[in-house]
Amino acid sequence: MESGSLESPDPGTVRPGGRTARVRAAVLRAAGDALAEGGLAQLDLAEVARRAEVGRTTVYRRWGTPANLIADLLADMAEQSLPRTETGTLLGDLRANARLVQRTLADPRQGALFKAVIAAATCNDQTAAALHRFYETRVEEWEPCAQQAVERGELPVGTDTCEVIRAVSAPLYYRLLTTGEPLDEASADRAAEAAAAAARVGAFVSPTA
């Protein structure tokens, strides 16, 4: 078990066990709850400390600012996200990806949390950079599914495989942030089918390929 100071040199650089890890988990959970309930305006470090039942000094010393806390929260979310599913077909893989995104965004807490973080990213460069890292981590996790489709001959050589993955989730985020239409499995499947169809006809082939 880890003992001694709870201080960490940088958010997220902790060993995966012991008191420090438990404190981080509690604080990040409390931060996520605060964001989901009231957006960035509710992300007060003292309030997060109260919710997490840890000392204010610990939270201020370790994270310092709401932007640092959001960055660590996003890093943790990326670490905890489910791994990709490989079905053996492009459409099967993209449908699995789309349904994972759909379940996440349709969840009352997670959907509200993503709305809050995206809103925060529009006015804070550090949060925007952390959000970009989160999505790139998730795209990189699923990109091999599209690369394997190229290798199987399902997609043209030169396809930008990261763009294929991004195209799957884009319609679902559009629903979350703009139209308010239901985020159901049918919408997820349509997003996957549209991305697969576009990829097959070369819509994502790099101009330099």
Side-chain angles (χ1 to χ4, degrees):
M1 297 288 289
E2 185 175 335
S3 60
S5 172
L6 296 179
E7 188 173 5
S8 175
D10 294 295
T13 57
V14 296
R15 291 189 291 275
R19 189 181 178 200
T20 297
R22 290 197 300 273
V23 167
R24 180 181 182 236
V27 169
L28 295 185
R29 177 72 190 185
D33 289 344
L35 281 167
E37 291 169 17
L40 183 61
Q42 294 298 313
L43 195 64
D44 175 77
L45 297 189
E47 173 61 14
V48 168
R50 185 194 67 79
R51 287 173 179 251
E53 299 182 341
V54 302
R56 289 188 186 186
T57 301
T58 296
V59 175
Y60 278 99
R61 181 177 61 207
R62 180 164 170 186
W63 286 278
T65 66
N68 284 339
L69 190 51
I70 293 173
D72 199 17
L73 175 62
L74 287 167
D76 183 68
M77 290 166 61
E79 293 165 7
Q80 300 301 324
S81 294
L82 293 174
R84 67 179 174 272
T85 299
E86 295 182 1
T87 66
T89 68
L90 174 68
L91 182 56
D93 292 352
L94 297 188
R95 184 178 288 127
N97 177 237
R99 289 190 178 184
L100 175 59
V101 174
Q102 174 264 321
R103 289 194 302 271
T104 299
L105 299 183
D107 179 84
R109 179 183 184 274
Q110 291 295 93
L113 175 56
F114 273 104
K115 283 183 178 180
V117 171
I118 292 168
T122 65
C123 57
N124 182 275
D125 290 342
Q126 185 178 352
T127 301
L131 187 63
H132 294 161
R133 287 194 298 272
F134 170 82
Y135 284 118
E136 286 310 298
T137 298
R138 297 308 297 153
V139 169
E140 288 171 5
E141 171 65 25
W142 284 85
E143 184 271 341
C145 294
Q147 181 58 46
Q148 290 163 10
V150 173
E151 294 166 359
R152 289 192 299 263
E154 285 191 76
L155 295 181
V157 173
T159 294
D160 185 331
T161 48
C162 287
E163 281 299 299
V164 175
I165 303 304
R166 295 186 187 105
V168 174
S169 58
L172 303 177
Y173 276 93
Y174 186 81
R175 283 176 176 250
L176 175 74
L177 297 171
T178 61
T179 68
E181 295 175 279
L183 278 163
D184 51 19
E185 283 195 352
S187 62
D189 289 349
R190 282 195 299 272
E193 290 160 9
R200 289 193 188 105
V201 299
F204 301 113
V205 172
S206 171
T208 59

